[in-house]
Amino acid sequence: MKSKVYVVRHPLVQHKLTLMRKKTTSVTEFRELVGEVAMLMAYEVTKDLPLTKMKIQTPMEKMMSPVLQGEKMVLVPILRAGMGLLDGMLRIFPSARVAHIGIYRDHKTLEPVEYYFKASKTLRGRDLILLDPMLATGNSAIAATDRLKGAHPRSIRFMCLVSAPEGVRAFQKAHPDIPIYTAAIDRKLNAHGYILPGLGDAGDRIFGTI
Ligand code: URA
């Protein structure tokens, strides 16, 4: 069974993604856009979070009203580009916890190397959203998901902006139970593991290290 892939086709997401792709978009604009797209996508990524009912008092009367059920969710940016999505997500989920995972791609082998992992001890039973703007080979997302599964969360969702078909297939094969939310599935990977047409190196564009 393949994991589900949800392509977020909302016109605002698509418009902003086009601006992000443009070579002439500045670091300042790119940063703003990545935050805005994260906020817009948050709505879709969390559409099936379970609800429970809470007894509240309105100015008029008492009622049972829906609230998110369970422990605080945990946002997991893959360093460093995943940090670009974090601020936007925190605007929507201000009380979310954050776990950082540092994985870099060895430029020769394209294999993932974990160099940092810091999370609270309480991932068990929580809903996690793994963040990385680019799903390229899929190696980093697969390694991060392997790691997170070991912490026994209630759920994991993977959120990215641009995916390569190769990465989608690899992730689906490794983690058929984890849904992928992306704004686009592009044409292909090049020989260096970059997505075509893509948007270049997301980390460089967010942090201005071009
Ligand atoms: N990571 C990026 O930042 N861009 C790509 O195209 C692929 C991986």
Side-chain angles (χ1 to χ4, degrees):
M1 196 187 69
K2 285 183 183 174
S3 57
K4 290 213 169 91
V5 186
Y6 299 96
V7 181
V8 181
R9 299 185 202 278
H10 192 287
L12 289 177
V13 170
Q14 294 302 317
H15 180 86
K16 288 175 190 293
L17 179 61
T18 297
L19 299 180
M20 291 175 69
R21 288 182 187 274
K22 284 172 68 177
K23 194 178 172 177
T24 51
T25 296
S26 70
V27 170
T28 313
E29 290 165 329
F30 193 92
R31 240 179 233 158
E32 273 171 15
L33 287 162
V34 76
E36 289 166 3
V37 173
M39 282 193 275
L40 292 166
M41 284 184 68
Y43 183 77
E44 188 68 18
V45 173
T46 56
K47 65 185 174 194
D48 56 353
L49 280 179
L51 291 170
T52 185
K53 287 211 166 156
M54 180 191 220
K55 193 170 175 182
I56 61 163
Q57 170 85 53
T58 79
M60 309 305 289
E61 61 180 20
K62 288 193 174 69
M63 71 175 287
M64 294 298 287
S65 198
V67 284
L68 292 173
Q69 186 257 326
E71 299 291 321
K72 297 271 183 287
M73 85 158 55
V74 183
L75 304 172
V76 190
I78 300 181
L79 301 177
R80 71 186 162 139
M83 292 297 290
L85 296 169
L86 183 62
D87 282 354
M89 292 297 281
L90 283 172
R91 294 281 295 274
I92 307 296
F93 302 103
S95 62
R97 305 308 190 233
V98 180
H100 294 87
I101 184 158
I103 296 178
Y104 70 86
R105 275 198 309 173
D106 184 294
H107 276 292
K108 287 204 183 103
T109 62
L110 303 183
E111 288 299 315
V113 183
E114 183 181 313
Y115 64 91
Y116 187 74
F117 184 72
K118 181 76 181 173
S120 72
K121 292 193 190 78
T122 56
L123 295 185
R124 182 178 288 274
R126 294 196 185 228
D127 297 308
L128 313 186
I129 304 180
L130 182 63
L131 307 172
D132 193 346
M134 310 302 276
L135 175 58
T137 59
N139 290 342
S140 303
I142 290 167
T145 306
D146 287 339
R147 174 65 117 124
L148 294 175
K149 279 185 172 174
H152 307 289
R154 176 165 75 173
S155 69
I156 304 176
R157 293 163 175 78
F158 176 53
M159 170 176 165
C160 56
L161 301 186
V162 181
S163 305
E166 296 90 333
V168 171
R169 280 196 295 273
F171 189 86
Q172 286 183 316
K173 189 164 176 228
H175 295 294
D177 51 330
I178 306 298
I180 302 168
Y181 296 84
T182 184
I185 301 178
D186 276 10
R187 199 171 78 253
K188 65 167 192 164
L189 284 182
N190 73 8
H192 304 287
Y194 279 87
I195 300 174
L196 299 177
L199 48 71
D201 189 301
D204 281 349
R205 297 200 64 185
I206 292 164
F207 296 109
T209 46
I210 304 165

